[in-house]
Amino acid sequence: MPVFRASAPAKIILFGEHAVVYGQPAIAVPLNQLRARVTVQADLAAPAGRVRIEAPDIGLQANLDELPAGNPLAAAIQAVGQALQIDHFPACTLRISSDIPVASGLGSGAAVSVALLRALAGFLGQPLPDDQVCALAYEIEKLHHGTPSGIDNSVVTYAHPVFFRRDQPVETFYIARPFTLVIADSGIPSPTRESVGDVRRAWQVDPTHYEQIFAAIGKVVLAARTKIEQGQPEQLGPLMDQNHTLLQEMGVSSPELDRLVLAARQAGALGAKLSGGGRGGNMLALVDEATVAQVAQALTAAGASHTITTVVGQSAGKP
Ligand code: PMV
């Protein structure tokens, strides 16, 4: 019996989180070394229509009809049924695994959704085009985050660096020279829904101030894109520092993230910032060959639970 498999990468936001929810651009890249994987296999011995879900990483073993309303995995399965106009699934088992840490700003929810949508549609003999996968994954992101901008599902679906602006076609762009990041996990879950909600409330109270912050972040993002395309990635450092200061002003950093950002800079990083929803989750630091090891070490010493070193744009070509 054939097994249908699909996988999708993690992602990291380089510039522009939070402001992107308010129409400013943001830049994010896939992290191909971390992936979510889904397999789907027919269960010939099972009763007709039984869809079994096994996700040992999150301790889940259940049938589809046992999952509560609003469960993102159930929503993804039902989304495939609706998209393909299939009311009754053939009996099957979906196995879900992921090495992307959850609630850490690396897009684990979007990666699981994208891999599941693709694997299940493939199993049903009707693979979905990327645009549709992206749109369905966006609907499922709403269950995770409330009011997502759509950046996570876009990077994860297309697995390319993206310059993202809400309600605009997703743009990929050219990374003229690769650059190295050390990504460090604060070890604290990032409550994205909560931080996005807090920014919304603060914006409602003082729209002028918050819109100034969003616009300033938008300028940083445009400058960053130019540096990346012109092959001057070392000049992204000060832009990361500026972006972090603006996120602090917005109230989405935390003492732990600030400590990691400072430790990275003191160890020789060219710049550093939190990444994603904030309050916890990951931060990133721009490094060169001479400083990569000492920055990673300094981050661990400053309390990071885990660090990843990644080269952005290594296999980049003109889009
Ligand atoms: O915490 P993450 O990486 O899933 O990303 C949240 C990014 C925000 O800009 C804060 C929200 C969004 O939907 O874009």
Side-chain angles (χ1 to χ4, degrees):
M1 194 41 56
V3 178
F4 286 81
R5 296 172 201 281
S7 74
K11 71 96 206 358
I12 190 142
I13 298 180
L14 301 188
F15 292 96
E17 50 276 273
H18 284 288
V20 70
V21 175
Y22 298 83
Q24 297 294 337
I27 291 174
V29 295
L31 283 178
N32 287 310
Q33 69 259 57
L34 297 178
R35 303 189 76 82
R37 297 180 177 82
V38 176
T39 64
V40 186
Q41 187 167 24
D43 272 342
L44 297 181
R50 194 194 73 173
V51 177
R52 181 100 189 127
I53 299 123
E54 294 183 359
D57 298 342
I58 53 166
L60 177 76
Q61 282 209 355
N63 294 339
L64 176 60
D65 55 13
E66 292 162 356
L67 294 180
N71 176 286
L73 298 174
I77 294 168
Q78 280 147 1
V80 174
Q82 273 162 19
L84 301 180
Q85 299 182 327
I86 292 176
D87 294 333
H88 303 287
F89 290 105
C92 59
T93 297
L94 284 80
R95 290 192 179 84
I96 301 163
S97 65
S98 171
D99 32 48
I100 309 171
V102 294
S104 69
L106 297 183
S108 90
V112 167
S113 298
V114 167
L116 191 159
L117 293 164
R118 286 188 177 138
L120 185 56
F123 167 75
L124 295 166
Q126 300 183 58
L128 295 168
D130 282 350
D131 290 354
Q132 200 173 1
V133 168
C134 189
L136 294 176
Y138 177 62
E139 292 306 312
I140 298 152
E141 282 294 283
K142 290 182 185 165
L143 300 172
H144 287 291
H145 286 344
T147 53
S149 61
I151 190 167
D152 281 23
N153 48 288
S154 301
V155 189
V156 164
T157 300
Y158 300 104
H160 275 297
V162 302
F163 178 84
F164 179 89
R165 219 188 271 259
R166 206 171 177 157
D167 301 326
Q168 306 262 330
V170 176
E171 276 180 60
T172 185
F173 63 96
Y174 179 51
I175 297 183
R177 215 148 55 78
F179 51 95
T180 305
L181 299 175
V182 178
I183 298 167
D185 193 336
S186 65
I188 298 164
S190 170
T192 298
R193 181 188 271 272
E194 191 184 297
S195 62
V196 169
D198 287 352
V199 171
R200 183 164 297 277
R201 279 181 286 278
W203 166 68
Q204 280 161 348
V205 171
D206 191 352
T208 312
H209 178 55
Y210 272 76
E211 274 156 30
Q212 275 165 0
I213 301 177
F214 301 149
I217 291 178
K219 283 195 180 142
V220 168
V221 174
L222 291 176
R225 177 176 177 166
T226 305
K227 298 294 176 202
I228 295 172
E229 288 180 324
Q230 289 178 346
Q232 298 166 319
E234 61 292 339
Q235 292 182 23
L236 294 174
L239 294 170
M240 286 181 180
D241 294 345
Q242 275 175 41
N243 197 158
H244 187 71
T245 303
L246 291 160
L247 289 161
Q248 284 174 315
E249 219 178 303
M250 210 188 275
V252 295
S253 193
S254 66
E256 294 80 8
L257 286 167
D258 289 345
R259 188 165 60 235
L260 294 176
V261 164
L262 198 65
R265 290 180 192 150
Q266 284 171 345
L270 300 168
K273 64 182 279 293
L274 72 83
S275 176
R279 304 259 170 91
N282 279 278
M283 53 74 68
L284 53 84
L286 179 69
V287 294
D288 54 31
E289 261 172 46
T291 55
V292 55
Q294 70 209 43
V295 169
Q297 237 167 22
L299 285 166
T300 304
S305 61
H306 187 67
T307 64
I308 304 167
T309 299
T310 190
V311 181
V312 177
Q314 203 154 40
S315 57
K318 285 215 185 254

